[in-house]
């Protein structure tokens, strides 16, 4: 196995950069509340969706060794947990619905830009389609995820 250390550094920078952001912006009490939601909806959903993308021949990761989970690099799977935690923490709680949709579109654009960056540095290959696949997928899943989180918060007994 030949290690491509510069590629490994890109993965590590992505994962630890997001970890740094949650430690800076999210208070400790909220971290405990958002951790499992981030793991399930961030890492779990990324694992499932990226395997589906690979199965239907839309994307493929390159240079995933030595820390890979099947066809995916472990560091990208882990990086989506803090990303989801940041998304939920800053979710607007306003009555105006357009603010919510603008927020989801902005986050979907960020996720699309991550796909563009991963493609430009040679870690991700789009076989059929392009970064817009990530935009559409993230728009759908961020909308569903935020609705589910709002449902959970509404049904949570107050302390």
């Amino acid at each position: 196995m030949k290690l491509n250390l510069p590629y490994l550094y890109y993965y590590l920078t992505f994962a630890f950069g997001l970890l740094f952001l949650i430690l800076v912006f999210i208070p400790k009490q909220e971290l405990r509340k958002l951790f499992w939601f981030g793991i399930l909806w961030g890492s779990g959903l990324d694992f499932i969706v990226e395997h589906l993308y690979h199965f239907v021949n839309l994307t493929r990761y390159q240079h995933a060794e030595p820390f890979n989970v099947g066809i995916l690099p472990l560091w990208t799977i882990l990086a989506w947990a803090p990303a989801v935690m940041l998304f939920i923490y800053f979710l607007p709680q306003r009555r105006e619905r357009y603010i919510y949709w603008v927020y989801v579109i902005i986050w979907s654009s960020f996720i699309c830009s991550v796909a563009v960056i991963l493609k430009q540095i040679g870690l991700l290959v789009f076989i059929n389609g392009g970064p817009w696949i990530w935009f559409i997928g993230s728009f759908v899943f961020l909308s569903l995820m935020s609705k589910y989180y709002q449902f959970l918060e509404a049904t949570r007994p107050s302390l």
Side-chain angles (χ1 to χ4, degrees):
M1 171 173 48
K2 179 179 176 276
L3 294 179
N4 289 316
L5 289 181
Y7 293 113
L8 179 61
Y9 294 149
Y10 293 137
Y11 288 126
L12 291 173
T13 303
F14 180 53
F16 286 115
L18 284 168
L19 180 63
F20 173 76
L21 288 175
I22 66 166
L23 293 176
V24 168
F25 288 113
I26 300 178
K28 185 178 178 182
Q29 312 85 282
E30 293 293 317
L31 280 176
R32 296 182 71 135
K33 184 173 86 170
L34 295 173
F35 178 75
W36 287 109
F37 192 84
I39 291 291
L40 292 175
W41 277 88
S43 298
L45 191 62
D46 177 64
F47 182 80
I48 292 168
V49 169
E50 287 296 330
H51 271 86
L52 286 174
Y53 284 174
H54 184 81
F55 179 71
V56 296
N57 211 20
L58 293 176
T59 62
R60 183 184 70 233
Y61 279 94
Q62 297 183 35
H63 312 290
E65 302 85 20
F67 302 105
N68 58 335
V69 179
I71 56 171
L72 301 175
L74 175 67
W75 300 109
T76 59
I77 295 171
L78 294 177
W80 289 112
V84 165
M85 292 168 67
L86 284 167
F87 172 79
I88 292 297
Y89 180 72
F90 289 109
L91 190 66
Q93 303 297 323
R94 305 202 32 155
R95 290 191 158 187
E96 299 90 356
R97 292 304 296 166
Y98 73 90
I99 293 175
Y100 167 78
W101 291 113
V102 167
Y103 181 73
V104 171
I105 289 171
I106 289 171
W107 267 88
S108 298
S109 300
F110 285 148
I111 291 172
C112 183
S113 66
V114 167
V116 168
I117 292 169
L118 291 176
K119 180 183 181 298
Q120 287 177 346
I121 59 178
L123 298 178
L124 182 66
V125 175
F126 288 97
I127 301 166
N128 294 314
W132 56 269
I133 296 168
W134 277 32
F135 179 84
I136 293 169
S138 64
F139 183 82
V140 170
F141 289 118
L142 290 175
S143 301
L144 293 173
M145 174 182 29
S146 62
K147 296 295 182 193
Y148 182 65
Y149 184 78
Q150 290 169 344
F151 168 77
L152 289 178
E153 284 296 306
T155 59
R156 176 182 294 207
S158 60
L159 298 176

